[in-house]
Amino acid sequence: MPNVLALDQGTTSSRAIVFDRGGNVLHVAQKEFQQIFPRAGWVEHDPQEIWASQRDVAGQVLKESGGARDIAAIGITNQRETTVVWDRASGEPIHNAIVWQDRRTSQFCDQLKQRHAETIQQKTGLVIDAYFSGSKLKWILDNVPGARGRAAKGELAFGTVDSWLLYKLTGGAVHATDASNASRTMLFNIHSGDWDDELLKILDVPREVLPAVKSSSEVYGETDPALFGRAIPIAGMAGDQQAALFGQTCFSRGLAKNTYGTGCFMLMNLGPDPASSKHQLLTTVAWKTAGKLTYALEGSVFIGGAVVQWLRDGLGIIKSSADVEKLAAIVPDSGGVYIVPAFAGLGAPHWDQYARGTITGVTRGTTAAHFARAALEGIAFQVADVLELMQKDSGIAMNELRVDGGAAANNLLMQFQADILGVAVVRPKVTETTALGAAYLAGLATGYWKSTDDVKANWQVDRKFEPSMTASDRAHRRSRWSEALRRACDWEERSTIDVKATLA
């Protein structure tokens, strides 16, 4: 029986996973790549290294699974907002990819807020922030010599990582994105479903560099036969968080998931209604299928699992990320220590580009175990802030939150998450839901799965974490968290983030 291959291109690694018809993982390969930090607040990737790592892991799982002949389709999911610009003729990038975490365009975004906040929010569903692709693209066009002129002539191509991989996989034949990724650029009108001329003028971006916007589930093209031995249809594409919502089978309005990756991203299915947020959450395209847009409400937390990597690489108090649960379990609580991991500013619902990480409540009795526990709790507190406002915006009282991502395997974190939310946390048996969502989108487009009912039948519960914390204890801890959060806000001096970008 044939299977489906998902390419899961993340912030720190590229993975390839082969799924069977039951949504089970058959083969996995993963390869990390370099994180580049040219200056404080700047984060870059080498696009060629992204491509090479993704190509290599795909080749590895194909060898393990019987080769390209046993693959019915390929689905792509990707780190969102990360921006790549390349030469159409040679396929060579003209600059490193500017990563979603990068803050170099913060001052430019401040200028945008003063003049265009309402227009951009109404058309895109987004809050103006350096997080999104549009200001990153403008920066590259303004700062790479000759780039703006070449872009206007149609010599350059822009894409988020999905577009870059699709272009490379097809040997340069296809330059396209899907609606979920397009909705993360600040250039896409989520109501019309297309690039918006007014937004392009505001951001000073020529239409000639933009990819075609496709559905999230359709055949975009085929792989270059020289890559894997034969041509394979590429038939599914979605940003990683939207793919995870699909993989969690959140097909009905009000169903929500939270992914614990480098950051944390909570999405709730809004159905066909792109309702706007009153609390600085994002309205985004969840996916486009059968010619129709489905929308989601999203809360984006910039630093989730990355705080555990910081404990490992920055502080050296654990040897591997998996060690954090054992260390944190040594103590019954954080001992009054709160870690606000605002290493790249704060995302939803604060959108503070100048916040920075803080540790409060440290005493002489504080140990590494307290730090480990406070780091995990800091993840959960951020998620709780988002869920509270998501329920207010949607008018839907959630009775469960579906979870996935690497840190969802941490039982201590999941139990504390349920406690601090006051809502059940449900972990599925297959937690590779980001890749699984991409596989489902590709398989549905090629008839591998006949309908979303087939997909829903695959979803099974691994464990359900019920809240056990008292309401008074929950309220006290969230109050102390809010105080710690207040001290992290607006910390960085705005003049230290220098960027050559101005409003047109």
Side-chain angles (χ1 to χ4, degrees), residues 330-351:
I330 293 173
V331 292
D333 54 49
S334 68
V337 175
Y338 288 81
I339 295 179
V340 181
F343 304 152
L346 288 169
H350 317 286
W351 297 105

Side-chain angles (χ1 to χ4, degrees), residues 404-453:
D404 53 66
N410 187 312
N411 292 330
L412 189 152
L413 172 59
M414 292 299 98
Q415 184 57 57
F416 186 79
Q417 186 70 86
D419 287 342
I420 211 66
L421 290 176
V423 169
V425 168
V426 182
R427 183 173 65 202
K429 285 188 176 179
V430 177
T431 57
E432 299 285 4
T433 52
T434 300
L436 184 57
Y440 282 153
L441 289 165
L444 287 166
T446 54
Y448 184 77
W449 288 286
K450 299 302 180 185
S451 70
T452 53
D453 287 338

